[in-house]
Each structure stands twice: as structure tokens, then as C-alpha cells.
Amino acid sequence: MSKQFDVIVIGGGPGGYIAAIRAAQLGFNTACIDEWKNEKGGPAPGGTCTNVGCIPSKALLQSSEHFEHANKHFAEHGITATGVKMDVAKMIARKDAVVKQNNDGILFLFKKNKVSFFHGRGSFVKAVDGGYEIAVKGAADETLVAKQVIVATGSNARALPGAPFDEENILSNDGALRIGGVPKKLAVIGSGVIGLEMGSVWRRLGADVTVLEGLPTFLGAVDEQIAKEAKKAFDKQGLKIELGVKIGEVKSSKKGVSIAYTNAKGEAQTLEADKLIISIGRTANTIGLGAEAVGLKLDERGAIVVDELCKTNLPGVWAVGDVVRGPMLAHKAEEEGVAVAERIAGQHGHVNFNTIPWVIYTSPEIAWVGKTEQQLKAEGVAYKAGTFPFLANGRARALGDTTGMVKFLADAKTDEILGVHMVGPMVSELISEAVVAMEFKASSEDIARICHAHPSLSEATKEAALAVDKRTLNF
Ligand code: FAD
Ligand code: NAI
């Protein structure tokens, strides 16, 4: 006997579990199917984000930052800390506990919102009168039917041809988050978000880290001025980043990994390392979804084809998050999940792609929203720019971290904020103000006229807005 629902969500990551909760809040009888297993084989909803992405990476970034502070910065405050040691096993166990709290939290939220959870793999069987038949195989073995199906099956790490992940020597994000001891030498291929975050974790703990990047520019999607400032800080920390390389043969042995590559000057090089993290992007995941059984359209990269409303080619079938076009970010997946649930309810769910913030949780942190200076130039938009360095911010001096700046880009005529770019302490939190401002179509003068608490890092935001009109007060 099949079980009938109004909405079935396949995938319980941030796109799926949030869509399921919102659908249930809107009064739909909702099921969510997720196959992720914890080490005991039990359910571990939350997807990549909770299990091997956002949450565990931030837990390790926090632990490793404490370690670096104790070793390198406590002395400035007059604190003597001798014999500081890192117990890697304990750090990993703490990270696992944080992950479990989040898994359990989602199971609790499903109960609270009366979402029926099924632990197993969900796949399309066929279109039926009442919508679609979905088989669940795993701990749960069921047949479900619903008129509306939301696919949120996420993404997987992209492997480098000729260097498959073994999670021992050649690591994806999964293995990178559970290295058992600090490697002496760590190689990373790809200086994108994961490469920089995970490279930072293991560098802070004492590894000699070399990041090999194929492109000649560092963080090409980031505003150039901000990327340059960040690169300066990473260089100073000893995170070695080689740009414009071409990776050759990767050999893994009992001793470690050997990576042959050509550097930017065209010289043949070999990098020997104990471990190699490959972070060269991610690919949409539709493995075992049964897309072909119902004719669900995929593009040439395997992503589910959707329109701007997240509708697929099949009536009543929607897709959100990493499995569709757009940035692979948890909050983008969540926003799409909410919007789709609201559209199913006949409401006007909306996602503004121009105000999706990006954050890289390194030290200094990097955060931005809207257009970069190079994008505005390429689009021929007349703009004004204003920057303010943390060096001139009282709170940053008190914190002992004055790296970086805040940068505003505003329309030359109307003063509307077109982009805000930050590198520095806690900018992951500061960026929200810029997102709110842009959502409300604020001008840089609006921000410049708002009272900001003193002393706070947010004063740098106000001052950068003032700088657009060349009237900073503290610089
Ligand atoms: P996922 O989170 O991948 O979830 C998909 C779920 O569907 C999984 O649980 C999977 O098991 C399940 N599934 C797949 N197929 C089936 C099936 N057929 N049946 C049942 N279940 C299925 N983003 C940020 O915004 N901030 C960050 O700080 C951040 N840090 C990251 C760090 C790392 C190391 C990585 C790898 C990613 C990070 N991301 C971050 C990206 C973020 O994790 C993803 O954008 C987000 O998880 C996408 O959510 P999703 O719901 O689309 O997919
Ligand atoms: P990425 O797209 O951020 O970076 C990949 C990098 O690898 C690029 O710089 C690219 O030029 C380089 N590259 C690609 N092929 C290469 C090759 N053959 N040789 C050398 N370099 C090569 O991808 P990453 O770091 O794997 O992360 C995947 C996604 O996960 C991110 O795009 C982001 O959406 C998400 N994520 C988000 C985080 C956050 O929001 N803080 C943290 C971590 C991941």
C-alpha cells in the first residue's frame, strides 16, 4: 500500500529540510526522505551542510583559531600560555558532537512541524494519477505518492581525473574534515572556498600547506581589491598559494601523495605531501533518483534543469539547492526551498539572487554581496567607491585584528548601493547589514546617516559608506 502525501521532499539538506518544514507550516501533509547515515547507520539529516560541509568546517575553523590565538596572540595580551597542545582526536570528536546536535535538531524540527521523515533513498518510479510514485529503499522501505515533489538531492565533490578520492591520502571535503593527526605536509588542489578554509585549519595546527590553483588570478569571483588584501594576509600567515599551475600525474602510495605539475612559468615541478585535499568544485547529485523513469530533464553537467521559479520540465516537480543552477550555498538552497513551498501554496515566494551573501570563513574573513568593481566596469555602470580600513577602527584595534577593509560601491547618479565587499575580522556577521540595505534599495548615504554603536566593527561599514561621498570622519 502506498502512502499518500501532498508534498514529498527528496533530500534532507538545507534545501530539502527547510522546504519540508515550510510546506508543513503551510498546512500540507509533507514527507521528507533522506538517506544520509551516521556512523551507527542511523539517520543524519542536514545533508552536506550539516554532515561534511558548513557546520563541521566551521567547528574545525573555530578550534584551530583558538589554538593559533593561544600560541601566537595571547602573549600580546600579557597571557602566558606554555605547552599549548592540540589533541586532534578531541577536536574531531567535538566537531562530530556539533554535527550530531544539528542532526538531532532537524529530527526534532520534523516532529514539531509534523513532517513524516523516511530514512532511505528516494527514487521516482512512475507518474500516477495522483502525481508521482516514489520508492523509499533503506531503513524505511515504502512507496509514497504525492502530487507535488521537491527534489533537493544536493551535490558531490568533483574528483580530479586520474586521482580518485580514497579518503586516506586523496581527500574530498569528507576526508579533509576527519584527518586523524596534523599532516607534516598538506597539498590542496583548488584555491576556492574549501581549499582556503580547510587549508587554513590545518596550517593553523602546524601543517606546511601548499595550495595549487589552476587559474592565474586569486579568488576571481571576489572584488579584486578585497582578494588582493586577503592574499597578502594569507601570504603573511605562510599559507603557500601557487597560481596558474597545470596539474599532471597524481601518485598515491603508502608514504603519501606526489603531485606533478607545471608552474605559471611553465616549469615542471613535483610536490610531495602526506595528504592531498582536492577542492575543485562540486557536481550536482542525481545518483539513484530515477530521473529517467519519469523523464526529468538534466543538463549536460547532470544538474536538474529548472526555470527561475525552480520548476522542472515535469508538472508538480520542483528542484532546489545544489542540484540546480546558481551558487552552491546553504542559504541559497534554503531560500529556494521556502520559495517553492510558498509557490505550491499559491503564494509568491521570491529569491533575489543579487542579494545572496557570500562568506569565506578564513582569517581574515571575506564577505560580499552584490556586484564587484570589475563586474560594474564590464557592465559599463557608472559607480562611486568608498573604502575604510579596519586599521582606523577602534574596536578592531582593541580586538588586536586590524587586517582588511570595508568597501562600498554605489551608483554614481542615484547613490543606490550596488555591492559591498569586506575582508577582515567578523565580516561574516557585518555583511548582513549590507544585505538588508540592498534588499531595501538603500543608498550609501542612508547607511552613512544611521547611528552605529561605538566601539564596534560595524562603524567601519558606516565609514565606508561615508567614504563614497569622500567624508570619512575617522580616516
Ligand atoms: P545537500 O546539503 O547536499 O543535501 C542533499 C541531501 O539529499 C543529502 O543528505 C543526501 O544524502 C540526500 N540525498 C541525495 N539523493 C537522495 C535520494 N535519492 N534519496 C534520499 N536522499 C537523498 N555553504 C554555505 O552557505 N556556507 C558554508 O559555510 C558552507 N561551507 C561548506 C563547506 C564544505 C566543506 C562544503 C563541501 C560545502 C559547504 N557549503 C557551505 C555548501 C553547502 O553545504 C551546500 O550548498 C548545501 O549543503 C546545499 O544544500 P542542498 O540541500 O541543496 O544539498
Ligand atoms: P570553488 O568553486 O570554490 O573553487 C574551486 C577552485 O578550484 C577554483 O579556484 C578553480 O579555479 C580551481 N580548479 C578547478 N579545477 C582545477 C584544476 N584541475 N587544477 C587546479 N585548480 C582547479 O569550489 P570548492 O572550493 O570545491 O567548493 C565547492 C563549493 O562549496 C563552493 O563553490 C561553495 O559554493 C561551497 N562552499 C561554500 C563555503 C562557504 O560558503 N563558506 C565553504 C566551502 C564550500
Side-chain angles (χ1 to χ4, degrees):
M1 260 289 280
S2 61
K3 289 186 174 153
Q4 185 83 36
F5 289 91
D6 299 325
V7 178
I8 295 173
V9 183
I10 308 180
Y17 91 79
I18 289 291
I21 289 174
R22 187 71 191 116
Q25 282 176 348
L26 289 162
F28 294 114
N29 181 17
T30 306
C32 183
I33 310 166
D34 188 81
E35 65 179 344
W36 206 293
K37 290 184 189 143
N38 61 26
E39 75 288 355
K40 290 185 186 140
T48 300
C49 169
T50 302
N51 293 295
V52 291
C54 324
I55 301 298
S57 59
K58 267 79 253 178
L60 296 189
L61 279 157
Q62 192 61 55
S63 300
S64 59
E65 192 163 12
H66 282 323
F67 181 71
E68 182 152 87
H69 275 261
N71 272 321
K72 297 195 178 154
H73 302 296
F74 275 13
E76 299 155 23
H77 295 264
I79 304 168
T80 308
T82 47
V84 177
K85 281 196 201 126
M86 172 51 85
D87 179 341
V88 173
K90 200 159 179 185
M91 174 184 77
I92 300 285
R94 174 188 175 274
K95 178 262 300 180
D96 291 340
V98 172
V99 167
K100 189 167 183 307
Q101 282 167 6
N102 283 272
N103 296 141
D104 292 347
I106 295 166
L107 290 171
F108 164 79
L109 290 171
F110 281 159
K111 271 207 185 104
K112 181 183 162 205
N113 289 281
K114 301 194 171 50
V115 172
S116 303
F117 175 68
F118 295 90
H119 189 208
R121 174 169 287 182
S123 39
F124 284 100
V125 180
K126 57 181 189 258
V128 288
D129 234 8
Y132 297 89
E133 189 177 300
I134 311 287
V136 186
K137 294 266 176 275
D141 191 349
E142 307 265 4
T143 303
L144 316 182
V145 172
K147 234 192 182 119
Q148 303 286 341
V149 180
I150 305 173
V151 181
T153 46
S155 63
N156 294 316
R158 189 153 77 86
L160 191 71
F165 298 120
D166 57 25
E167 305 300 0
E168 268 301 316
N169 283 350
I170 303 180
L171 314 174
S172 69
N173 55 298
D174 181 7
L177 287 160
R178 51 183 171 84
I179 301 178
V182 181
K184 260 207 176 100
K185 292 191 91 179
L186 174 69
V188 179
I189 299 181
S191 74
V193 199
I194 295 179
L196 293 174
E197 288 188 355
M198 297 317 300
S200 293
V201 165
W202 296 104
R203 180 204 58 76
R204 290 170 187 167
L205 299 181
D208 174 6
V209 182
T210 304
V211 186
L212 301 173
E213 166 60 43
L215 291 178
T217 39
F218 178 62
L219 287 179
V222 176
D223 187 272
E224 268 171 28
Q225 198 177 356
I226 298 293
K228 217 169 128 195
E229 193 72 14
K231 176 77 168 43
K232 247 188 343 198
F234 297 140
D235 287 346
K236 210 166 137 197
Q237 290 164 6
L239 187 68
K240 292 177 228 156
I241 303 169
E242 275 202 56
L243 302 174
V245 310
K246 194 167 182 326
I247 305 292
E249 199 183 357
V250 175
K251 279 194 242 159
S252 175
S253 68
K254 270 195 192 135
K255 279 198 296 187
V257 195
S258 146
I259 303 125
Y261 68 98
T262 313
N263 68 14
K265 291 184 203 145
E267 298 158 344
Q269 306 283 326
T270 307
L271 178 65
E272 306 285 348
D274 302 299
K275 306 269 180 200
L276 166 65
I277 297 173
I278 297 183
S279 47
I280 56 168
R282 298 179 62 80
T283 52
N285 169 36
T286 53
I287 300 165
L289 179 65
E292 59 297 335
V294 284
L296 180 63
K297 199 167 160 197
L298 310 182
D299 69 14
E300 60 292 349
R301 292 168 307 118
I304 297 177
V305 177
V306 288
D307 66 8
E308 69 287 0
L309 298 177
C310 292
K311 280 184 179 162
T312 69
N313 64 313
L314 301 175
V317 180
W318 312 71
V320 301
D322 280 12
V323 77
V324 304
R325 82 297 175 255
M328 289 186 169
L329 295 174
H331 41 286
K332 175 263 192 184
E334 291 184 15
E335 291 300 303
E336 285 184 334
V338 168
V340 164
E342 292 179 350
R343 284 166 197 149
I344 292 173
Q347 299 181 1
H348 298 279
H350 179 66
V351 181
N352 182 355
F353 273 76
N354 193 42
T355 53
I356 294 176
W358 275 85
V359 176
I360 306 179
Y361 295 82
T362 43
S363 178
E365 293 184 339
I366 303 165
W368 72 97
V369 60
K371 304 273 179 167
T372 61
E373 195 162 352
Q374 59 268 29
Q375 276 175 322
L376 293 178
K377 276 188 185 145
E379 290 169 15
V381 178
Y383 65 91
K384 300 177 286 183
T387 58
F388 188 83
F390 282 107
L391 200 66
N393 175 274
R395 183 76 194 279
R397 288 189 196 126
L399 281 176
D401 188 356
T402 53
T403 318
M405 67 175 87
V406 176
K407 172 173 179 175
F408 265 64
L409 296 167
D411 188 284
K413 246 198 195 148
T414 65
D415 194 35
E416 181 180 340
I417 302 166
L418 302 176
V420 179
H421 306 271
M422 303 175 169
V423 54
M426 298 302 287
V427 298
S428 54
E429 301 295 333
L430 296 188
I431 199 67
S432 303
E433 180 181 4
V435 176
V436 172
M438 284 184 66
E439 274 290 346
F440 283 87
K441 301 225 170 279
S443 63
S444 71
E445 189 186 347
D446 287 329
I447 299 300
R449 285 188 181 278
I450 290 171
C451 181
H452 288 66
H454 177 75
S456 71
L457 296 171
S458 72
E459 287 172 294
T461 307
K462 178 187 171 110
E463 290 274 5
L466 280 164
V468 171
D469 202 26
K470 300 198 173 33
R471 54 189 185 96
T472 52
L473 296 163
N474 283 289
F475 188 62

